[in-house]
């Protein structure tokens, strides 16, 4: 498959994840969406952040999408699958990705604060060739949605002042 075909496919699937992130946004959840895609390019799992609604950190978008893919397959092994997620996964989600045997992880925006710093993981000898990692797919769209969400949260809390933002 050519790089252009890969790029088009990756963008298409990331757009599906972004649509799920928008659903999370509409539910007042941190806007993160994820889809699991099988080797034939079929989406077999979808998820978006539901941490606030379910009152648990176990309701991350990646976890929900992986669980749905497991149910769809009738197996916990997702060997030939790709996970698309709008934000770099945290350590909990990255561990689940590895344990689920997902072959490729493609994410949009980096998460310097909570992300598992996948650039370091991907080059580590412990994880080398474990999960193929691609970053930056539709990153600007994912970042924009996240920034908009957190700006709205600051406005609701009265912490946002025009022209300046609190860190």
């Amino acid at each position: 498959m050519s790089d252009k075909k890969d790029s088009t496919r990756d963008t298409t699937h990331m757009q599906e994840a972004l649509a799920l992130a928008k659903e999370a946004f509409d539910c007042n959840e941190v806007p993160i969406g994820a889809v699991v895609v099988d080797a034939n390019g079929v989406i077999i799992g979808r998820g978006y952040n539901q941490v606030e609604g379910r009152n648990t950190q176990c309701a991350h978008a990646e976890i929900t999408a992986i669980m749905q893919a497991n149910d769809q397959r009738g197996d916990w092994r997702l060997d030939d699958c790709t996970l698309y997620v709008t934000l770099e996964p945290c350590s909990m989600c990255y561990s689940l990705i590895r344990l689920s045997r997902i072959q490729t992880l493609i994410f949009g925006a980096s998460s310097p604060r909570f992300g598992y710093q996948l650039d370091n993981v991907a080059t580590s000898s412990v994880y080398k060739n474990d999960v193929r990692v691609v970053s930056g797919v539709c990153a600007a769209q994912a970042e924009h949605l996240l920034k908009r969400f957190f700006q709205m949260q600051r406005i609701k809390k009265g912490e946002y002042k025009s022209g300046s933002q609190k860190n």
Side-chain angles (χ1 to χ4, degrees), residues 67-78:
M67 289 175 63
Q68 192 177 89
N70 295 145
D71 288 345
Q72 179 74 21
R73 275 237 170 127
D75 194 350
W76 62 267
R77 295 169 193 87
L78 300 173

Side-chain angles (χ1 to χ4, degrees), residues 1-166:
M1 205 177 274
S2 73
D3 287 339
K4 185 172 179 154
K5 261 189 174 174
D6 287 345
S7 176
T8 301
R9 182 192 62 227
D10 291 348
T11 300
T12 299
H13 290 307
M14 190 60 78
Q15 290 298 322
E16 289 288 329
L18 283 162
L20 290 162
K22 289 173 187 165
E23 283 189 48
F25 184 99
D26 292 342
C27 294
N28 204 34
E29 297 275 357
V30 176
I32 302 168
V35 295
V36 177
V37 179
D38 70 12
N40 298 316
V42 176
I43 295 174
I44 60 171
R46 291 177 166 80
Y48 62 86
N49 240 22
Q50 298 176 51
V51 171
E52 299 298 331
R54 292 187 179 181
N55 291 314
T56 178
Q57 280 294 323
C58 294
H60 285 198
E62 300 95 324
I63 293 171
T64 304
I66 288 169
M67 289 175 63
Q68 192 177 89
N70 295 145
D71 288 345
Q72 179 74 21
R73 275 237 170 127
D75 194 350
W76 62 267
R77 295 169 193 87
L78 300 173
D79 297 290
D80 58 349
C81 292
T82 299
L83 175 71
Y84 293 84
V85 61
T86 58
L87 184 66
E88 178 182 7
C90 68
S91 59
M92 174 180 65
C93 290
Y94 186 70
S95 293
L96 178 62
I97 291 162
R98 288 187 63 240
L99 291 169
S100 298
R101 298 183 182 169
I102 289 175
Q103 182 177 359
T104 304
L105 165 65
I106 299 176
F107 69 89
S110 293
S111 179
R113 188 168 181 193
F114 294 111
Y116 199 52
Q117 300 167 7
L118 293 168
D119 290 336
N120 295 332
V121 171
T123 58
S124 164
S125 61
V126 174
Y127 299 113
K128 199 167 193 171
N129 300 322
D130 198 16
V131 176
R132 181 175 156 256
V133 178
V134 177
S135 63
V137 176
C138 301
Q141 290 173 281
E143 289 168 5
H144 175 74
L145 191 59
L146 286 159
K147 285 178 183 177
R148 215 171 89 215
F149 175 79
F150 287 114
Q151 182 180 42
M152 287 178 60
Q153 294 302 306
R154 286 189 297 275
I155 289 169
K156 286 178 186 176
K157 291 180 181 180
E159 297 173 0
Y160 182 80
K161 295 179 180 157
S162 182
S164 69
Q165 294 182 11
K166 273 189 166 181

